[in-house]
Amino acid sequence: MKKNLLVTLADDNYIDQAKQLFSSVYWNAGWKGDYLLLAYDIPNEKLHWFIEKGIIIKKCEKLPGYEFKRPTTGISKFKLFAPDFKNWRKIIYLDGDIIVRSSLDELTNVQNFAAVKDLGMPKLYHQFKGIKEVSPEKYDVLRTKYDLSASAFNAGMFAFDTEIINQNTHNKLLGYLNEYMQPCFVDQPILNMIFYKKWQKLPLIYNVQMHFVKKAYKIRNIKGTVLHFTCKNKPWISGSKFCEEWQQNLKNSEKIDLSKKTEQKNENKYKIYYLVSIYKINHVFYLIDKLIGKIGGNIRKRHPKIYNNLRKIIYGK
């Protein structure tokens, strides 16, 4: 029977991040499938550690002809949709700026392609903002092909059944990239195009996008299975409240032994449902807050008493 596969991606500057990610998956998720590193332009001598641990290496080289304002490393995710990855049953991909805290086994039940909604750029038109700026004509074409008000997912974590892979999937992704290349965004908009209205929405706990949950939703005691540090406040930076946890995971990576299985840290299902509800409730207040911000000026000018009462209800002041 085919095994399931856990994958992360790293370049020469993200080797410790990959070690930490695999360590948190091994010790906290008790992952029983294979582990694979998409190694983007990493010298062979720096891959020995992963090989000795039994982690599979898939080398990725820079593709010529692509110029972005950010590293092109993310394009390597497209390799997961090449035919040779059908050797596995289900694939879970996780970015290197993630800490895994509990079991990922529920993700092996997905039927097609599954991901979590993007909190920073939740709609397709956010994803294609770069195209609108550099090529309004291509953006107009996109508007005829897609409902740009549809939800978009975050590509820092996703899971899929390899049955969705065919001989053309990988080339199709590269073709979309050639057609709709934009300077700021690399992989995420293209993946959103190919899985447009075909992706299964996963609970937020499987990709808690820390910056947006903390800043926008005002949630302080953040919990979840997958903590994703999407912006500048990375957990390995000194001063981060997650730095000690991250460093301990990195230290524990030296003790990884894939011949031995570890116990899973399972989140109580009722606790998970509670957390999802809290995130949804806070999201409602966040949307109300944005709405008040847009129309607040007019209300304050015309109806100051109503404006003050609304502030008391929402902000308590």
Side-chain angles (χ1 to χ4, degrees):
M1 184 177 179
K2 293 180 181 178
K3 286 188 175 182
N4 297 317
L5 179 67
L6 189 288
V7 182
T8 195
L9 168 63
D11 61 13
D12 200 6
N13 299 312
Y14 246 58
I15 292 175
D16 279 351
Q17 284 77 358
K19 290 180 180 180
Q20 185 281 151
L21 185 281
F22 285 134
S23 177
S24 69
V25 170
Y26 178 78
W27 294 107
N28 297 335
W31 180 250
K32 297 179 177 62
D34 288 335
Y35 294 69
L36 185 144
L37 174 68
L38 290 172
Y40 180 83
D41 203 22
I42 299 177
N44 287 333
E45 60 270 19
K46 294 186 178 182
L47 295 175
H48 289 161
W49 184 92
F50 299 95
I51 295 170
E52 290 172 358
K53 292 295 182 184
I55 294 167
I56 302 165
I57 303 295
K58 182 76 170 179
K59 291 186 178 181
C60 308
E61 306 299 335
K62 183 177 180 180
L63 294 174
Y66 297 101
E67 296 298 332
F68 295 94
K69 291 181 180 178
R70 59 172 65 186
T72 57
T73 315
I75 300 175
S76 299
K77 295 179 188 179
F78 295 171
K79 287 187 176 291
L80 296 174
F81 301 94
D84 54 333
F85 278 91
K86 290 178 74 69
N87 292 325
W88 289 275
R89 189 173 69 91
K90 304 289 175 75
I91 294 176
I92 298 173
Y93 172 82
L94 300 168
D95 268 354
D97 53 359
I98 279 174
I99 295 175
V100 175
R101 285 182 159 180
S102 59
S103 173
L104 299 170
D105 284 2
E106 286 290 326
L107 297 177
T108 63
N109 295 324
V110 300
Q111 297 302 310
N112 295 296
F113 180 93
V116 175
K117 184 175 179 178
D118 192 89
L119 300 184
M121 291 171 293
K123 302 295 182 181
L124 285 181
Y125 59 77
H126 294 123
Q127 305 289 322
F128 299 119
K129 183 179 179 182
I131 292 178
K132 187 177 182 180
E133 293 174 352
V134 300
S135 180
E137 298 82 6
K138 287 187 177 181
Y139 185 79
D140 288 339
V141 172
L142 282 173
R143 289 197 299 178
T144 64
K145 292 183 176 181
Y146 304 95
D147 173 11
L148 296 186
S149 66
S151 294
F153 59 81
N154 181 277
M157 173 273 150
F158 53 80
F160 64 95
D161 189 316
T162 59
E163 288 296 316
I164 69 172
I165 299 173
N166 59 48
Q167 292 295 322
N168 298 319
T169 309
H170 180 250
N171 290 334
K172 187 176 180 180
L173 283 162
L174 292 179
Y176 279 23
L177 183 66
N178 283 321
E179 182 68 20
Y180 297 105
M181 185 167 52
Q182 52 186 335
C184 294
F185 256 153
V186 185
D187 54 290
Q188 187 164 294
I190 305 304
L191 287 168
N192 268 281
M193 289 174 74
I194 200 167
F195 295 113
Y196 172 67
K197 291 191 175 180
K198 296 178 182 177
W199 58 285
Q200 173 189 342
K201 293 182 180 179
L202 293 171
L204 181 60
I205 58 162
Y206 289 114
N207 188 351
V208 183
Q209 296 148 59
M210 301 294 284
H211 175 80
F212 300 105
V213 167
K214 288 173 68 177
K215 299 294 184 182
Y217 292 6
K218 313 297 189 212
I219 298 175
R220 295 180 181 178
N221 188 20
I222 296 175
K223 299 181 184 297
T225 295
V226 174
L227 305 186
H228 186 190
F229 299 83
T230 50
C231 294
K232 294 181 180 179
N233 297 322
K234 302 299 186 183
W236 55 85
I237 296 175
S238 178
S240 166
K241 66 176 288 188
F242 298 93
C243 188
E244 183 178 350
E245 178 181 359
W246 191 92
Q247 292 291 347
Q248 186 61 50
N249 287 336
L250 178 61
K251 183 179 178 180
N252 289 341
S253 69
E254 298 299 330
K255 297 183 287 185
I256 290 175
D257 182 353
L258 298 185
S259 67
K260 299 178 181 179
K261 303 304 179 184
T262 54
E263 293 185 7
Q264 298 174 338
K265 294 181 180 179
N266 290 296
E267 292 277 2
N268 180 282
K269 285 196 172 183
Y270 292 106
K271 183 179 179 182
I272 289 174
Y273 296 146
Y274 168 75
L275 289 170
V276 172
S277 297
I278 291 296
Y279 287 136
K280 286 182 177 179
I281 290 169
N282 278 272
H283 183 59
V284 170
F285 279 104
Y286 168 58
L287 294 176
I288 292 172
D289 190 25
K290 285 184 70 177
L291 180 62
I292 292 299
K294 288 180 178 179
I295 67 174
N298 288 329
I299 295 176
R300 185 176 186 178
K301 186 182 292 184
R302 298 179 182 180
H303 307 285
K305 289 184 179 180
I306 294 176
Y307 176 83
N308 290 331
N309 287 334
L310 284 170
R311 284 191 63 84
K312 287 178 182 179
I313 292 170
I314 296 172
Y315 301 109
K317 58 183 180 181

